[in-house]
Amino acid sequence: MNRKGIIIVVSGFSGAGKGTVMKALTAKYDQYALSVSATTRTPRSGEVNGREYFFVTTEEFEKMIEEDGLIEHAKYVNHYYGTPRKYVEDKLANGIDVILEIEIQGALQIKEQYKDAVLLFITPPSADELEKRLRGRGTETDEVIRKRLGRAKEESVGIEKYDYIVVNDKLDECVENVHRIISAAHCSPDRNIEFIDDIRKQLEKY
Amino acid sequence: MNRKGIIIVVSGFSGAGKGTVMKALTAKYDQYALSVSATTRTPRSGEVNGREYFFVTTEEFEKMIEEDGLIEHAKYVNHYYGTPRKYVEDKLANGIDVILEIEIQGALQIKEQYKDAVLLFITPPSADELEKRLRGRGTETDEVIRKRLGRAKEESVGIEKYDYIVVNDKLDECVENVHRIISAAHCSPDRNIEFIDDIRKQLEKY
């Protein structure tokens, strides 16, 4: 079958391990590309422009919005985050599935424009495990951790808007589950209209 | 997560290799059970009652219909075919996914009663390959083969009613694709309401 790329939107509680899962997934399977977002926030130590994010000014970001150069964007803690359109559409055209790691606001914007986008929500097996992981990082103050857990509570309201919920208990299993979900999505009749038309035409002679 | 069984309905052109795929799938993974249909047709050589089918009389079959003992039934070439309810519901309650190999009429009856049933359509990669496989069996007359191909043409009209279309080119790949589709289905929010409620309750304290 002629494979067309799918947009995969991945959200999940901060601390669910989304980044790690996506890194492992794209390392293991070469049909996936991770989209790089643009943001107006300052780079953290170790972050490289064009790798973690495209770091841009507020003026540059607003120009991208105006010119319809972003497929979604959102403001979060006073900073803009958005997904550049060109990268995504080039990959899709080449049969590559593009993974976007974004918040629910952006996820729903994507689903409106790209009806066949697949929305995944990644969650730890329990809230206790989430707290444990956030504390385990050892880099955040108690106040920041509380804030993230409070935000997780807010985010949990939207889970049903997602197409799939994936528990990140063991990393390998979670990566495989995400891969299975995306592989399954490629088998929907909507994504195989050409194949179906072809086989129907071929059967006409009987 | 507390896994509940799903009904998987498998249809496909005669000659697509459904039976072989399902046998390989259930041999490889023990979370699947193949439902055994009841039929009024005469057993073919080698067929065992209770293995390929439950062979029953027309009177017995009609009694099962009356007593609501079948979750679907259809008449095809003057014979009844149907799926006994008890076996299916017992397996589902035990977290086993039940696979039903049935025609489109039955598939749609199932979907009406079990909204979350997953409908798969298995197809060979092309109509030529289908004809080759039917002829390759060497057991059917030319007339029977023509009839099956004519029926494939009719069946191809309904493909979009299925949730997934799976090409059976290489057996192993096809088996894996079916497994991926079913695994993905288990990750829908609808099938994880308890888990979602639990994590929401746990997050309330923050």
Side-chain angles (χ1 to χ4, degrees), chain B residues 150-179:
Chain B
R151 182 154 173 87
K153 182 175 150 185
E154 287 166 30
E155 284 169 334
S156 75
V157 175
I159 296 183
E160 278 98 343
K161 309 249 183 195
Y162 287 79
D163 299 306
Y164 296 101
I165 170 164
V166 190
V167 176
N168 182 17
D169 189 0
K170 288 173 192 154
L171 178 65
D172 286 355
E173 261 177 40
C174 182
V175 167
E176 274 316 288
N177 272 331
V178 172
H179 177 58

Side-chain angles (χ1 to χ4, degrees), chain A residues 12-52:
Chain A
F13 308 132
S14 160
K18 294 187 297 287
T20 315
V21 172
M22 293 310 122
K23 216 175 272 177
L25 180 78
T26 48
K28 191 166 176 188
Y29 299 103
D30 60 9
Q31 71 260 45
Y32 303 127
L34 214 50
S35 158
V36 178
S37 298
T39 183
T40 55
R41 82 152 162 77
T42 7
R44 290 183 198 146
S45 140
E47 286 184 337
V48 174
N49 188 31
R51 192 180 67 187
E52 281 80 10

Side-chain angles (χ1 to χ4, degrees), chain B residues 108-178:
Chain B
L108 300 179
Q109 285 179 48
I110 296 285
K111 192 78 175 182
E112 238 168 70
Q113 291 171 76
Y114 300 89
K115 301 283 175 216
D116 79 336
V118 174
L119 271 48
L120 303 186
F121 194 90
I122 296 195
T123 167
S126 68
D128 281 352
E129 177 63 25
L130 181 65
E131 183 169 355
K132 216 175 92 187
R133 286 185 198 174
L134 287 170
R135 294 202 183 279
R137 289 177 175 179
T139 53
E140 324 268 16
T141 62
D142 202 68
E143 196 205 326
V144 169
I145 290 171
R146 286 263 138 198
K147 224 169 143 181
R148 288 191 192 275
L149 287 165
R151 182 154 173 87
K153 182 175 150 185
E154 287 166 30
E155 284 169 334
S156 75
V157 175
I159 296 183
E160 278 98 343
K161 309 249 183 195
Y162 287 79
D163 299 306
Y164 296 101
I165 170 164
V166 190
V167 176
N168 182 17
D169 189 0
K170 288 173 192 154
L171 178 65
D172 286 355
E173 261 177 40
C174 182
V175 167
E176 274 316 288
N177 272 331
V178 172

Side-chain angles (χ1 to χ4, degrees), chain B:
Chain B
M1 291 196 208
N2 192 1
R3 187 183 163 113
K4 276 172 197 136
I6 300 178
I7 294 185
I8 316 295
V9 177
V10 177
S11 305
F13 308 133
S14 160
K18 293 185 297 286
T20 314
V21 172
M22 293 310 122
K23 214 176 273 177
L25 180 78
T26 47
K28 191 166 175 189
Y29 299 103
D30 58 10
Q31 71 261 44
Y32 304 126
L34 214 51
S35 158
V36 178
S37 298
T39 183
T40 56
R41 81 154 164 76
T42 6
R44 291 182 198 146
S45 140
E47 286 183 337
V48 173
N49 189 31
R51 192 181 65 188
E52 281 78 11
Y53 287 97
F54 293 108
F55 296 100
V56 299
T57 63
T58 304
E59 293 68 38
E60 287 170 323
F61 199 99
E62 287 171 348
K63 201 175 160 225
M64 288 167 93
I65 298 176
E66 255 171 59
E67 293 173 348
D68 202 26
L70 299 168
I71 61 171
E72 61 78 35
H73 67 276
K75 216 167 188 174
Y76 172 48
V77 199
N78 293 325
H79 286 298
Y80 279 125
Y81 293 81
T83 303
R85 183 179 304 277
K86 191 178 163 9
Y87 177 88
V88 172
E89 300 206 331
D90 284 353
K91 293 285 176 192
L92 293 180
N94 286 310
I96 303 287
D97 298 324
V98 184
I99 298 170
L100 314 183
E101 209 190 303
I102 49 180
E103 308 286 322
I104 188 163
Q105 298 172 53
L108 300 179
Q109 285 179 48
I110 296 285
K111 192 78 175 182
E112 238 168 70
Q113 291 171 76
Y114 300 89
K115 301 283 175 216
D116 79 336
V118 174
L119 271 48
L120 303 186
F121 194 90
I122 296 195
T123 167
S126 68
D128 281 352
E129 177 63 25
L130 181 65
E131 183 169 355
K132 216 175 92 187
R133 286 185 198 174
L134 287 170
R135 294 202 183 279
R137 289 177 175 179
T139 53
E140 324 268 16
T141 62
D142 202 68
E143 196 205 326
V144 169
I145 290 171
R146 286 263 138 198
K147 224 169 143 181
R148 288 191 192 275
L149 287 165
R151 182 154 173 87
K153 182 175 150 185
E154 287 166 30
E155 284 169 334
S156 75
V157 175
I159 296 183
E160 278 98 343
K161 309 249 183 195
Y162 287 79
D163 299 306
Y164 296 101
I165 170 164
V166 190
V167 176
N168 182 17
D169 189 0
K170 288 173 192 154
L171 178 65
D172 286 355
E173 261 177 40
C174 182
V175 167
E176 274 316 288
N177 272 331
V178 172
H179 177 58
R180 286 181 188 134
I181 287 168
I182 304 173
S183 305
H186 277 282
C187 296
S188 75
D190 286 358
R191 294 190 187 89
N192 293 285
I193 290 171
E194 268 176 53
F195 176 85
I196 295 170
D197 283 349
D198 281 352
I199 207 158
R200 271 190 195 135
K201 262 177 225 145
Q202 293 162 19
L203 285 167
E204 266 168 24
K205 65 182 170 197
Y206 299 113

